[in-house]
Amino acid sequence: MPDYTFEDIEKYYRDKYDELLKANDTDKAILFNEEECDDIPLGATKMGGLPDLPPDAEYPVRGEFISNGKTIPASGLPLVCQINCGEIAPYLPEYSHLPKKGIIYIFWEGGDPHYYKKKYGVSTMKAYYWGGDTSCLVRTPASENTELNKETRVTFSTFEESYIGYDEGDIEAILDDFENESSGFDVDYTETETYKLLDSLKDESGCVSSQTKLYGFKAGLVSQDEDGGNPFLQLNVHQGGLWYAYIWIAPLDGGWKIEETDGWKELRTGVDYDAD
């Protein structure tokens, strides 16, 4: 591990915050407020569960592949979230490239999609946009071997994030955590100083910048090789050694703006992680 001084690290994070602010022209984020409900309306914004798809759309599937001589059968991709663009439109910042109507769907099985695509030729992450009549949507079943994510209804609220200066004791705790946690995934993340530090980033209303959200700044510590861009969707995962997943979506034909349409279209996806 490089022999950083406290002054080096404090300056790095201050400079990184300034870069984010300049690059994205905002410190605002849209918080996902999740609530378990027994009867979520068709087409409503939600995390997990089964997707509400247009009648002619097929449930997205990760194809069969062979790993270490073992055949991994095809499986439906778990729904990460479906976002009703009309519901979120009042909260979107001016720079947002999202449409103001329709539904966005993000499916992801976990793992690095680029790795699985390159090594096995299968897609473990897919995203789509439907801009047609939402009244025709159908809650679509997945294959029996699909491991669905927990279903929660989502409402939105906005909050402003700000840079929190680290003192010397915080920095020492972070470096200790990096060394302690690098040997395995059996550490209780809630007891680490790193998690406590991130969990302390709250505004006056008590919103936590480490929660699932749209836009805003990354909750995890920014590594040297990252480009400084903000995620479209930050997932608070906290499973095993994985803390956060940062997901991007964009049109397949280039650019970032997702144009409103009356039809069904696949989107381009990308994901990065913060992990122990």
Side-chain angles (χ1 to χ4, degrees), residues 190-257:
T190 61
E191 295 302 317
T192 65
E193 293 303 316
T194 307
Y195 175 78
K196 293 175 184 177
L197 190 64
L198 295 174
D199 197 43
S200 69
L201 303 183
K202 300 181 180 180
D203 67 3
E204 293 179 356
S205 65
C207 293
V208 182
S209 64
S210 60
Q211 289 181 304
T212 297
K213 62 184 180 179
L214 291 175
Y215 303 119
F217 300 135
K218 291 183 179 180
L221 302 177
V222 183
S223 64
Q224 292 281 3
D225 59 352
E226 290 181 354
D227 61 9
N230 281 354
F232 164 70
L233 173 65
Q234 170 182 292
L235 294 178
N236 185 328
V237 182
H238 288 153
Q239 294 178 353
L242 181 63
W243 279 18
Y244 304 102
Y246 309 108
I247 298 175
W248 285 261
I249 59 172
L252 279 176
D253 54 1
W256 287 102
K257 184 177 178 60

Side-chain angles (χ1 to χ4, degrees), residues 94-107:
E94 292 182 3
Y95 64 81
S96 173
H97 298 309
L98 294 182
K100 300 299 191 295
K101 72 164 191 173
I103 308 287
I104 288 173
Y105 308 87
I106 300 176
F107 298 85

